[in-house]
Amino acid sequence: MLVVIVFSCKGQDYGVLQPTPEDLCKCLPIEPDIADYRHLAKHVPIPNIAVQEVTVETILGWAQDPLIPPDAPRTGRELEVFHIATGFLQNASVNAADCDVVMEVSQVPDKNAARMIVETPVDSEYCSARQNIQGQLKQHGFRLDSQHGGELPQALSVDVVGMAFEDFEHDRGTAQVGTLWELHPAIVNLHP
C-alpha cells in the first residue's frame, strides 16, 4: 500500500511522495487535469511571435477581471508573449497539485516588494527549462524539487519570457503576490 502525505506551507504543497523527487521532469501531479483552473489555456507552447517588453511593475497594474469561467480559452492579452528583462526571483517551489514550477518575481530585490507569479508547466516541452532553473538555483545553494522550495534567502536577478495569463483569487503564494496576472507558461533564467 502506497501512502501519500501532503502538507501545506504558506500556500504551497510540499512533502508529496514522488518516485524521483529531484527530477522535475518526472513529477506526477496529484490532481487530474480537470481539477486545474483553465488547464487547457495554461498548458500551451509559447508561440514564436513578436515579444513585448514589460516590467513586473506594469503587470502589477494591469486591470483584473472579476470572474473568468474555469474553461475560458485565452483571449486578448493572454495571446501575447512578454519579456521581463530584469525581475527579482523571491520564491520558487513545485506545486504538488499540477507539478508546475511556481515562482514569485518582483520589480526590485526588496523582500517586501509586491510580486507576481511566473509558472513553468510540467509539460514535456518545458523539461529543459525546468531543469535549467533548478540547476541555476542549485549554484546559489537553493534546492528546488518536488519536496524542497520556498522563499529564497535573497532575491536573484532573472530574465523571464512567457504568455500573460489571468488566474483567479485563491491561495497563490505569499502575501506579497499583488495580482491575478501571471506569465504562464514562462521560461525563467537567472542573470549571471
Side-chain angles (χ1 to χ4, degrees):
M1 180 167 98
L2 174 64
V3 176
V4 177
I5 300 170
V6 179
F7 60 94
S8 180
C9 178
K10 289 191 177 183
Q12 299 299 324
D13 297 317
Y14 299 106
V16 174
L17 297 178
Q18 292 284 337
T20 51
E22 67 286 347
D23 189 342
L24 293 180
C25 296
K26 292 184 179 173
C27 186
L28 302 171
I30 62 169
E31 291 184 359
D33 293 350
I34 191 132
D36 187 23
Y37 176 76
R38 299 184 67 203
H39 181 82
L40 293 177
K42 289 191 288 191
H43 293 268
V44 297
I46 298 172
N48 188 14
I49 60 174
V51 176
Q52 298 181 48
E53 294 296 324
V54 71
T55 64
V56 172
E57 185 176 8
T58 298
I59 294 172
L60 288 167
W62 286 350
Q64 300 174 145
D65 290 304
L67 178 66
I68 299 174
D71 59 350
R74 286 181 174 271
T75 60
R77 182 181 282 139
E78 292 183 324
L79 297 170
E80 301 174 29
V81 178
F82 295 90
H83 175 238
I84 298 171
T86 302
F88 290 89
L89 181 62
Q90 302 277 7
N91 189 300
S93 62
V94 177
N95 181 339
D98 63 8
C99 284
D100 288 357
V101 174
V102 180
M103 295 161 276
E104 295 182 17
V105 177
S106 60
Q107 179 72 37
V108 296
D110 183 344
K111 284 300 205 175
N112 295 313
R115 305 173 184 182
M116 62 173 290
I117 298 285
V118 173
E119 294 195 42
T120 303
V122 70
D123 309 329
S124 61
E125 65 220 63
Y126 298 105
C127 176
S128 62
R130 294 159 65 82
Q131 291 172 328
N132 185 48
I133 192 66
Q134 181 185 42
Q136 290 176 334
L137 287 170
K138 185 177 182 180
Q139 291 176 0
H140 288 270
F142 186 83
R143 187 169 176 188
L144 174 65
D145 60 37
S146 65
Q147 297 178 348
H148 300 91
E151 192 73 11
L152 277 69
Q154 67 180 43
L156 298 174
S157 181
V158 293
D159 177 276
V160 183
V161 173
M163 295 182 75
F165 178 80
E166 191 171 5
D167 207 341
F168 74 105
E169 188 60 55
H170 62 290
D171 190 9
R172 306 176 54 246
T174 65
Q176 286 82 11
V177 174
T179 182
L180 298 178
W181 281 102
E182 304 178 350
L183 289 186
H184 187 232
I187 296 172
V188 177
N189 286 296
L190 296 183
H191 287 145

